[in-house]
Amino acid sequence: MIHNYETEYKNVKLRQLEERDIESLRDWRNDSANTKYLRKIPFITWEMQRNWYHSYLNNLEEITFAVEEKETLRCLVGSLSLSNIEGGKAEVGKILIGEKRAHGKKVGVNALSAVLKIAKNTLDLREIYLYVSADNIPALKVYRETGFSIDDSYRDEENRLEYRMVVRLV
């Protein structure tokens, strides 16, 4: 969805995802080290990425943000999305800090904090939830640090333990 939601939080800036960003996203998604815990997808070609982007622009049900690190790297380092926005709730997902130089700089924590700020103050949402693999320890640490707590657990289609985590925005 084309949007004007933008905010900064500490060393992170969230902004509209632009076409100039999609090659970096494609490279990061094709790197198996970045996608170990993500839904399995095939290799993404340039044409597939471009088609996804143009389809995304017309999708009124998903807000994707480019994540920039603005202090030391001063560049795009990842992305995240809000989707399933309904009844004061939304899902945060497609979280990827793919730029390895950004790891260890609190970019994930600050990007999530920034999107929670938009969710509460701009979109007037009351609850954000996400799904995460129980063995994704780095992500669990980030989610807990931003206020998420485990709400439910289940087994995915490959019998891996997954958590549904929630943060309430009050």
Side-chain angles (χ1 to χ4, degrees):
M1 160 196 298
I2 297 173
H3 64 83
N4 293 316
Y5 307 125
E6 190 172 290
T7 194
E8 294 184 10
Y9 184 80
K10 296 186 179 179
N11 67 331
V12 165
K13 177 180 179 179
L14 297 186
R15 62 167 172 78
Q16 166 71 45
L17 184 69
E18 298 174 358
E19 191 158 6
R20 66 185 165 106
D21 302 323
I22 66 173
E23 180 62 12
S24 293
L25 294 184
R26 185 180 81 85
D27 286 343
W28 295 329
R29 288 293 300 224
N30 282 334
D31 181 345
S32 62
N34 285 330
T35 59
K36 179 178 178 181
Y37 299 104
L38 300 179
R39 180 178 50 87
K40 303 296 182 234
I41 57 172
F43 181 84
I44 302 168
T45 66
W46 168 246
E47 184 175 285
M48 290 166 66
Q49 185 75 351
R50 190 189 60 205
N51 290 343
W52 166 82
Y53 178 73
H54 290 288
S55 174
Y56 156 73
L57 291 177
N58 295 311
N59 180 353
L60 300 178
E61 307 203 358
E62 183 174 334
I63 304 168
T64 298
F65 297 92
V67 178
E68 293 182 353
E69 196 286 332
K70 62 185 189 105
E71 289 180 356
T72 57
L73 301 175
R74 294 186 204 92
C75 66
L76 177 75
V77 297
S79 65
L80 58 81
S81 298
L82 286 173
S83 61
N84 301 318
I85 302 168
E86 186 177 342
K89 300 177 182 181
E91 178 178 356
V92 65
K94 298 183 181 176
I95 303 165
L96 178 62
I97 307 302
E99 175 57 60
K100 289 176 178 44
R101 296 176 301 153
H103 296 179
K105 296 185 182 307
K106 294 282 194 183
V107 171
V109 169
N110 294 337
L112 271 173
S113 296
V115 85
L116 294 177
K117 184 171 137 181
I118 289 172
K120 180 180 180 182
N121 299 335
T122 305
L123 301 174
D124 199 30
L125 299 175
R126 297 181 313 276
E127 181 178 293
I128 303 296
Y129 60 93
L130 57 81
Y131 298 93
V132 61
S133 175
D135 61 351
N136 189 345
I137 303 305
L140 286 167
K141 181 180 175 190
V142 167
Y143 302 152
R144 285 188 177 111
E145 192 169 337
T146 51
F148 284 84
S149 59
I150 296 171
D151 183 57
D152 196 9
S153 64
Y154 61 95
R155 295 276 173 185
D156 70 7
E157 61 279 352
E158 295 176 11
N159 201 35
R160 294 179 304 208
L161 182 61
E162 297 273 324
Y163 296 132
R164 180 181 190 272
M165 297 184 78
V166 173
V167 65
R168 289 178 177 75
L169 308 171
V170 287

